[in-house]
Amino acid sequence: RIAYVNGRYLAHSAAAVHIEDRGYQFSDGVYEMCEIARGYIIDMKRHLDRLNRSLSELSIEWPVTRSALIVVMREVVRRNGVRNGLVYLQVTRGVAPRDHAFPKPGTRSSLVVTAKRIAPSATAKKAETGLKIITVPENRWDRVDIKSVSLLPNVLAKQQAREAGAQEAWFIDAEGTVKEGASSNAWIVTQDGALVTRPADHGILRGITRTTLFDVAAKLGMKIEERAFSVAEAKAAREVFISSATTIAIPVVDIDGETVANGHPGSITLSLREAFFDIAEKSPA
Ligand code: PLP
């Protein structure tokens, strides 16, 4: 495998950043993860627009121009022979002597790009089985709309899920409503077939897959309600699913040990999943 690090293509096993990279010391950086399907980068434009927003919210400079970044992403995908999988990119505020405040002007931000293959059958299998979810209290800061690499609460929540035999954890706010997963957005389908997902204010990440699923739902003539929903409502829903670039839409069949509907992946989720690739923006990799 090959990775890109600050201007160079290196063997993945030997690729490294400096010990004084601010991403390493302070989690002072942002990232994006794009799906690659059948040789296309999915929704690249939306991912780069969100990267731009994350960078500007944190006053981190672009490490290279947007068009140069696209070239690097394609090159990393090509060099790794990825037709189906993921491309990951991370930008940090750069390498500087350790000091919490921003480094001196002119410090270049760091860029790392990696790609990996994932067999489509592996994700398809998850969609056929469905996922188990646990709920955990929200304990993150109030700017999780920024796609920052500062992910410690997400790491701990995901580990808690794993130890409980589940695959995702949902953060629940003080009112008992569902925020989002540790690495996904949360959705339910009501008994009358409407899709419900939380409004993308500062309280959740505005998932790119979430945005594109709005397009897919419109195309399929499904109704969307952007509103908060409670854990109880999710447990009583017709269907429950999560969305992310890694999973697209994957059914949830169990919440905190309680079976959702009949315990089988729902047909509405699967139809969204099926239509997704046709409707998403496809950029040749
Ligand atoms: N919410 C969180 C906390 C995430 O980490 C992710 C993706 O990693 C998402 C939502 C889904 O976003 P996207 O659809 O852009 O992958």
Side-chain angles (χ1 to χ4, degrees):
R1 285 176 68 195
I2 299 293
Y4 171 96
V5 184
N6 289 330
R8 296 199 294 163
Y9 295 91
L10 304 167
H12 187 272
S13 55
V17 293
H18 194 274
I19 54 166
E20 293 215 282
D21 190 283
R22 293 179 60 94
Y24 181 61
Q25 290 185 328
F26 296 117
S27 297
D28 189 1
V30 301
Y31 73 107
E32 279 297 329
M33 178 89 89
C34 306
E35 196 211 359
I36 302 159
R38 303 173 212 175
Y40 292 96
I41 302 177
I42 304 302
D43 285 326
M44 187 176 70
K45 190 178 170 303
R46 281 178 173 164
H47 281 282
L48 294 180
D49 288 348
R50 185 173 64 184
L51 174 66
N52 186 52
R53 179 177 181 278
S54 298
L55 290 171
S56 85
E57 289 293 318
L58 298 177
S59 307
I60 299 176
E61 298 286 328
W62 274 75
V64 295
T65 62
R66 180 172 170 132
S67 54
L69 178 55
I70 294 172
V71 170
V72 171
M73 287 168 72
R74 291 198 166 125
E75 189 61 18
V76 171
V77 170
R78 191 188 67 78
R79 288 192 190 215
N80 288 285
V82 180
R83 272 191 54 77
N84 294 286
L86 295 167
V87 57
Y88 174 83
L89 66 91
Q90 176 174 314
V91 180
T92 74
R93 205 182 302 276
V95 176
R98 190 175 186 282
D99 175 17
H100 289 67
F102 292 178
K104 66 175 190 300
T107 303
R108 283 197 54 171
S109 52
S110 298
L111 173 62
V112 168
V113 182
T114 58
K116 73 170 176 187
R117 286 186 227 176
I118 298 176
S121 56
T123 335
K125 206 170 145 219
K126 281 191 199 157
E128 276 165 33
T129 328
L131 303 180
K132 293 184 176 182
I133 293 239
I134 60 161
T135 58
V136 298
E138 176 65 283
N139 59 354
R140 301 174 299 165
W141 73 328
D142 60 5
R143 288 310 307 277
V144 294
D145 58 306
I146 300 170
K147 199 164 170 64
S148 140
V149 293
S150 190
L151 290 170
L152 204 40
N154 309 56
V155 166
L156 297 178
K158 196 73 121 189
Q159 179 60 22
Q160 201 179 322
R162 184 166 296 172
E163 287 172 11
Q167 294 79 34
E168 179 61 299
W170 276 356
F171 291 111
I172 309 303
D173 68 12
E175 285 75 50
T177 64
V178 177
K179 303 272 302 275
E180 62 179 338
S183 63
S184 59
N185 288 118
W187 301 69
I188 61 173
V189 182
T190 62
Q191 292 300 342
D192 54 10
L195 305 181
V196 182
T197 196
R198 193 184 181 95
D201 48 25
H202 285 186
I204 64 164
L205 182 75
R206 187 186 291 271
I208 301 304
T209 316
R210 174 187 179 282
T211 302
T212 299
L213 282 172
F214 276 55
D215 300 341
V216 176
K219 204 61 165 247
L220 299 181
M222 292 178 190
K223 194 174 154 234
I224 294 200
E225 294 171 18
E226 241 183 317
R227 62 168 173 84
F229 59 86
S230 67
V231 178
E233 192 178 359
K235 285 178 177 168
R238 176 162 159 186
E239 297 184 20
V240 177
F241 66 97
I242 60 162
S243 70
S244 72
T246 319
T247 59
I248 307 304
I250 299 254
V252 170
V253 295
D254 187 291
I255 301 172
D256 286 334
E258 288 181 41
T259 305
V260 173
N262 63 2
H264 294 290
S267 58
I268 294 175
T269 305
L270 296 179
S271 61
L272 286 166
R273 188 181 165 76
E274 235 173 71
F276 184 89
F277 182 78
D278 292 336
I279 291 171
E281 183 230 0
K282 294 170 281 290
S283 170

